[in-house]
Amino acid sequence: MPGDSVGASAQRIVANVESVIDGKHDAVTHALTVLLAEGHLLIEDVPGVGKTVLAKALARSVDCSVSRIQFTPDLLPSDVTGVSVFDQSSRQFAFKPGPVFANIVIGDEINRASPKTQSALLECMEEHQVTVDGVTYPLPEPFTVVATQNPIEMEGTYALPEAQRDRFMARISMGYPDRASELEMLGTRETSSPLDAVEAVVSDAELRAMIVAVRNVFVSMPVKEYAVAIVRATRDDRELRLGASPRATLQLVRAAKARAAMHGREFALPDDVDALAAPVLGHRLVPTSRALGQHHNDGDLLIAEIVDRIVRATPVPLGAAAGR
């Protein structure tokens, strides 16, 4: 699929999702970027701002298999991955796939499940497979987990460990809508939900072609060096006690390729890296206690400032698209 076709299809998906989500263009485009880059998305925000609605609207805009898992404290790992059931007729155990066997898996309130259940997603997210009773089953391709969580009400929740947070390509927040968008929402949702009218605008074959096109986006060596410089700077920053991992470097470049394709380009630019540095790196960074205290314990604001400072301080390469 040529770059302009990818851009046109991406615009259709974005417009379709925005018919449900008002005034959140950046959140919608970031979500689609992660899907096309074959990553996983964590949507973290306060209740009632449309986290699950965004996930559902994105899933419904593409003609592929979708499943939803409501994470609760009593959810078991087998409720996610599946379980082997004894078949009386054949006198053998047969594997019954769980809801994770879908192209897009929506995990609602993922931090409400126990760490044991959360860990059931580790193999799925990293290796796109499930191992049950010593047998490995491949997951369908493409495979994307879109998880939501509420960072405010922490009673009865289990914070995601760093190893699992690192498996998410990006973390985004919805934020409150502006006044005009909130007024428009009152009119459009007074009698029915716009989500009921959302239909697929891209077929499964088109989505696969878009993903292949993203894989083939050219990334010059200067752009790669630029991404590496930004990630390595997080490991040496005095306000951070944990910087971004090598996996973060890989996913930052993949996300940049997806953004380039969504803009109709067949090559990535430093601008693509800049635009995605915060959502791709932010949730992987852990500030020092001293820096956190100086920012009134507002970790998200501190991380955003650190990433912005690092991006501005990193020299932008010249001739970044050269060598094609």
Side-chain angles (χ1 to χ4, degrees), residues 179-287:
R179 184 176 182 275
S181 298
E182 197 161 3
L183 282 172
E184 183 179 354
M185 179 185 67
L186 293 178
T188 56
R189 304 190 183 191
E190 189 171 1
T191 57
S192 63
S193 172
L195 189 62
D196 297 334
V198 173
E199 297 181 354
V201 295
V202 171
S203 67
D204 178 62
E206 286 179 292
L207 176 63
R208 294 174 184 273
M210 294 172 72
I211 291 174
V212 171
V214 167
R215 292 174 184 170
N216 294 329
V217 168
F218 176 77
V219 184
S220 66
M221 185 55 66
V223 172
K224 292 179 181 178
E225 293 174 346
Y226 181 61
V228 169
I230 290 176
V231 174
R232 291 184 66 86
T234 66
R235 303 169 192 165
D236 300 326
D237 195 274
R238 292 183 299 176
E239 292 188 299
L240 296 174
R241 63 182 178 88
L242 178 64
S245 65
R247 182 192 284 126
T249 311
L250 179 62
Q251 295 192 348
L252 179 59
V253 172
R254 286 179 177 173
K257 292 169 67 173
R259 185 179 186 273
M262 289 171 60
H263 284 75
R265 287 183 276 108
E266 296 180 357
F267 55 91
L269 295 173
D271 289 346
D272 299 317
V273 177
D274 290 348
L276 293 162
V280 173
L281 302 181
H283 62 293
R284 309 170 194 270
L285 308 178
V286 178

Side-chain angles (χ1 to χ4, degrees), residues 64-69 77-84 94-106 120-121 123-125 127-133 135-145 208:
C64 61
S65 59
V66 181
S67 67
R68 180 179 182 274
I69 307 172
S78 58
D79 296 329
V80 175
T81 60
V83 64
S84 295
F95 178 67
K96 301 296 182 182
V100 78
F101 284 83
N103 294 121
I104 300 179
V105 178
I106 302 173
L121 286 173
E123 182 184 13
C124 305
M125 295 172 67
E127 302 173 46
H128 292 194
Q129 65 183 29
V130 169
T131 301
V132 177
D133 295 334
V135 181
T136 299
Y137 304 91
L139 293 171
E141 296 290 348
F143 174 72
T144 294
V145 173
R208 294 174 184 273

Side-chain angles (χ1 to χ4, degrees), residues 137-154:
Y137 304 91
L139 293 171
E141 296 290 348
F143 174 72
T144 294
V145 173
V146 182
T148 70
Q149 71 173 4
N150 170 20
I152 302 299
E153 185 186 5
M154 302 305 294

Side-chain angles (χ1 to χ4, degrees), residues 113-124:
S114 67
K116 183 177 182 179
T117 301
Q118 291 177 8
S119 65
L121 286 173
L122 293 177
E123 182 184 13
C124 305

